[in-house]
Amino acid sequence: MSKKDKFTDFSQTPSAEFTASTLTALPHASSPTSLRSASASRMPETASLASPASRHPDPAGRIKAVLFDYDGTVGDTNQLVIDSWQHTFMTIRGRRTDDELLYHTFGEPLRETMARFFPEHDLEDALRIYRDWQAAQDQNRWYLFPGMRQLIGELRRRGYRMGIVTSRTRDSLERALVYLGMEDTFSAIVTSDDTTVHKPEPEPALIGLEKLDVRPDQALFVGDTHYDMGCAHNAGVEAVLVGWSRSMRPEDKVGIYRPDYEIKNAGELLEILEKC
């Protein structure tokens, strides 16, 4: 089995389709439009990725582009990240730490989190411990969340411009995309290497918008953390929270961190786009 076949999707059944029986839209100052429950959208089972050059003309609706976070949104790297942190804690402190503490750091640049967790340890050495262990593991542990590959392929066919805005380094993100057969999928990629100001500040999203040549009101930002929600709203972009988030707690959903929409599965994003 090729790596591309192995990672096509994890719906597990040939009859897998997007269902959207419940779509939640949350009011926000930057999004006056409210969504109601809509009928399920069916995604072609043969959905595949297309290169940016092969996409259709821009869609007719207001939204022209979608920015995605990577970890915890497109890529199911949650356990890989947790295990990398636990290895680092064991190496430096000789003990594990609470997983929930780690989940709440998702979305923050690794360097910032590392400096806060281990102020007494050499930062570069701590980063090396984390990155070396993950690099030795991750080629066997890159996964996509169920339905995400079909969603991205369908967005491409419908003409949406797509980008990734992540706190990962460019090198680690590119390795993941190549392994997943998605290296030519996104027209814009913004990593922690591309800006000195990170989520929840607006700069990463604004760079993505500039690369896609769209205004903030012409895009959605899909993510799983309060860093993503804050970055989107600070940039004037409507924010979509994925229902499989492990880091976003109910008490986090306030102010700029409150999502405009929440989706329970990947296909529900299409319903949002059809209403915008």
Side-chain angles (χ1 to χ4, degrees):
M1 179 182 297
S2 69
K3 65 184 179 185
K4 186 174 182 179
D5 290 334
K6 181 177 180 181
F7 293 103
T8 295
D9 187 63
F10 286 82
S11 301
Q12 300 294 337
T13 65
S15 61
E17 64 183 47
F18 287 125
T19 60
S21 58
T22 305
L23 176 63
T24 305
L26 301 178
H28 187 276
S30 65
S31 58
T33 302
S34 177
L35 295 183
R36 296 179 176 86
S37 294
S39 59
S41 294
R42 180 178 177 85
M43 178 67 63
E45 294 173 11
T46 57
S48 61
L49 299 179
S51 68
S54 67
R55 67 177 178 85
H56 294 172
D58 283 342
R62 172 174 62 87
I63 301 299
K64 310 296 183 185
V66 180
L67 296 174
F68 291 95
D69 172 56
Y70 180 73
D71 291 282
T73 300
V74 174
D76 184 359
T77 57
N78 290 345
Q79 194 59 50
L80 174 62
V81 170
I82 292 294
D83 290 348
S84 300
W85 274 116
Q86 296 294 10
H87 170 78
T88 306
F89 268 88
M90 285 296 298
T91 302
I92 295 176
R93 296 269 177 83
R95 59 175 175 80
R96 295 171 59 88
T97 192
D98 181 61
D99 282 357
E100 291 304 315
L101 173 67
L102 299 174
Y103 278 123
H104 198 55
T105 69
F106 281 18
E108 184 178 34
L110 179 63
R111 181 175 291 272
E112 294 180 18
T113 315
M114 195 71 73
R116 189 172 67 253
F117 280 161
F118 306 109
E120 78 289 354
H121 196 85
D122 179 74
L123 178 58
E124 296 305 320
D125 185 60
L127 290 167
R128 178 194 58 77
I129 292 169
Y130 179 102
R131 288 170 172 162
D132 285 357
W133 188 88
Q134 188 174 106
Q137 305 292 319
D138 60 13
Q139 286 203 353
N140 295 317
R141 299 179 64 176
W142 291 120
Y143 305 99
L144 296 178
F145 280 102
M148 190 54 69
R149 188 180 292 272
Q150 293 103 314
L151 169 65
I152 291 171
E154 183 66 10
L155 291 175
R156 180 64 63 196
R157 274 188 295 278
R158 294 189 185 191
Y160 290 97
R161 309 174 200 184
M162 291 185 291
I164 285 184
V165 177
T166 178
S167 294
R168 267 192 180 272
T169 62
R170 180 168 293 272
D171 175 69
S172 65
L173 176 66
E174 288 180 349
R175 283 190 291 113
L177 294 179
V178 168
Y179 192 68
L180 293 165
M182 301 174 71
E183 64 269 29
D184 297 320
T185 299
F186 299 95
S187 299
I189 290 179
V190 184
T191 72
S192 62
D193 298 327
D194 299 311
T195 175
T196 58
V197 183
H198 306 289
K199 304 173 187 176
E201 298 302 318
E203 278 77 2
L206 291 174
I207 293 171
L209 295 174
E210 182 178 8
K211 288 185 175 185
L212 294 177
D213 193 25
V214 294
R215 302 188 309 269
D217 65 310
Q218 293 178 310
L220 295 179
F221 192 124
V222 184
D224 70 308
T225 72
H226 67 284
Y227 294 101
D228 297 322
M229 304 298 104
C231 179
H233 288 146
N234 281 330
V237 178
E238 291 176 291
V240 181
L241 177 67
V242 297
W244 48 94
S245 169
R246 291 297 305 269
S247 65
M248 193 79 167
R249 302 170 300 192
E251 58 266 32
D252 296 326
K253 300 176 185 179
V254 296
I256 64 168
Y257 304 116
R258 185 178 184 182
D260 298 290
Y261 308 101
E262 295 188 27
I263 57 175
K264 292 186 177 180
N265 59 66
E268 288 186 347
L269 184 65
L270 296 175
E271 294 192 6
I272 295 175
L273 292 168
E274 289 165 1
K275 297 292 184 179
C276 289

